[in-house]
Amino acid sequence: KNNMLDFVFAVDDSVTWHMMNLLKNRGHYSSLKFFGPKRITRIQSYGAGIYYNTLVPCNGRMIKYGVINTDALIDDLFHWKTLYVAGRLQKPVKILTQNENSKLQAALVSNLKSAVTAAFLMLPESFSEEDLYMQIAGLSYSGDFRMIIGEDRSKVQNIVKPNIAHFQKLYSNILQDCPQVVYKHHLGRLEASIDKSPEGQFTQLMALPKTLQQKITSLVNPPGKNRDVEEILLQVAQDPDCGFVVRQG
């Protein structure tokens, strides 16, 4: 009851949405409300592409809500442009309502598949189902400076342990279609043996979102060397520290 509820609204036309919301809920906004919907939308486009109204009282609770353009959300889900909203959607959430946007549906699934692929690269050859969900839930915190300077380090564990059933529901279809995983559904248990050969790791690296591939490339490619992404990822696939390089990326 005391936890703040966090909503995200994906909207097709942010200017119109903010214009209508300013008429209805002007008090939700900071002093930015005086600048109007176009300026708010411009500010929304910076950083992770999401604008938050926070500390909003609603039905006896505190909520915050972020507004993101549908195109910006799809871009983050497919390519992990910032991993901000995509990272949230790798964890169990309640989707309250959703229109029939087939590209958004495909992007939501792509984001989950990418999370599994990245986790496989960072995990050892065999691992438990809880290990997998811990790795996935921790992806969006890997590059979050708050986790280094004081944010609760057991935060990831607190997300996963009470929500194992929800993680299973979210990822079961993807894991059942994954040849490297034996999903013993009747036991609710997952058994995995990941191919850690250079060939296996290269296939997984090539399946990662574009932004992460670029980050990995910039980490291992010295300035002035004009090599393509595929050539560099082939080198990373043969590195015993491949998982560490992916985590750095």
Side-chain angles (χ1 to χ4, degrees):
K1 213 173 190 180
N2 297 327
N3 288 346
M4 194 184 301
L5 275 175
D6 187 350
F7 293 86
V8 174
F9 301 127
V11 303
D12 294 341
D13 179 352
S14 293
V15 175
T16 303
W17 195 93
H18 284 299
M19 182 176 71
M20 293 169 72
N21 198 41
L22 281 163
L23 291 171
K24 194 173 183 180
N25 298 305
R26 194 170 178 80
H28 293 182
Y29 289 80
S30 67
S31 56
L32 279 173
K33 58 177 166 277
F34 298 114
F35 294 99
K38 284 186 180 176
R39 179 67 66 86
I40 291 168
T41 300
R42 203 171 303 138
I43 288 164
Q44 178 183 307
S45 69
Y46 296 136
I50 188 164
Y51 175 88
Y52 261 97
N53 282 328
T54 188
L55 296 172
V56 176
C58 178
N59 296 342
R61 290 191 68 156
M62 279 293 184
I63 71 165
K64 59 178 176 175
Y65 62 89
V67 183
I68 186 168
N69 222 61
T70 309
D71 288 344
L73 173 59
I74 288 170
D75 193 32
D76 197 34
L77 290 167
F78 272 129
H79 305 303
W80 289 7
K81 190 177 177 186
T82 68
L83 198 57
Y84 188 79
V85 180
R88 286 159 183 253
L89 293 172
Q90 289 161 4
K91 305 172 187 77
V93 298
K94 176 74 173 168
I95 295 180
L96 299 171
T97 181
Q98 195 174 344
N99 65 12
E100 296 300 312
N101 184 330
S102 58
K103 195 172 180 186
L104 177 57
Q105 302 272 14
L108 286 163
V109 174
S110 173
N111 180 43
L112 298 180
K113 286 181 177 175
S114 296
V116 169
T117 302
F120 281 175
L121 281 160
M122 291 189 280
L123 284 161
E125 202 168 340
S126 57
F127 49 85
S128 71
E129 188 168 13
E130 189 177 306
D131 290 338
L132 174 64
Y133 299 142
M134 288 283 288
Q135 195 70 250
I136 288 171
L139 283 175
S140 54
Y141 295 118
S142 296
D144 190 336
F145 74 95
R146 292 173 304 171
M147 295 300 279
I148 301 160
I149 55 166
E151 186 101 337
D152 184 6
R153 285 178 177 276
S154 62
K155 188 168 187 172
V156 174
Q157 204 165 32
N158 294 341
I159 290 168
V160 173
K161 280 195 178 289
N163 289 299
I164 287 284
H166 295 296
F167 273 95
Q168 286 174 328
K169 190 176 178 185
L170 188 60
Y171 286 97
S172 63
N173 286 345
I174 289 163
L175 294 174
Q176 280 168 5
D177 291 341
C178 184
Q180 296 161 310
V181 170
V182 178
Y183 199 77
K184 300 195 171 175
H185 205 65
H186 60 292
L187 298 173
R189 196 171 79 237
L190 170 149
E191 288 181 6
S193 181
I194 303 305
D195 182 1
K196 291 289 177 181
S197 71
E199 296 81 6
Q201 294 194 138
F202 177 66
T203 302
Q204 290 166 4
L205 288 164
M206 289 299 290
L208 290 174
K210 185 173 68 178
T211 307
L212 180 52
Q213 288 182 342
Q214 289 166 349
K215 294 285 183 190
I216 292 167
T217 299
S218 65
L219 281 170
V220 298
N221 193 36
K225 287 255 186 167
N226 192 17
R227 296 188 295 163
D228 64 24
V229 171
E230 193 170 327
E231 186 186 344
I232 293 156
L233 293 182
L234 192 56
Q235 176 193 324
V236 174
Q238 294 166 30
D239 189 333
D241 293 327
C242 174
F244 178 70
V245 176
V246 173
R247 186 183 301 279
Q248 278 187 305

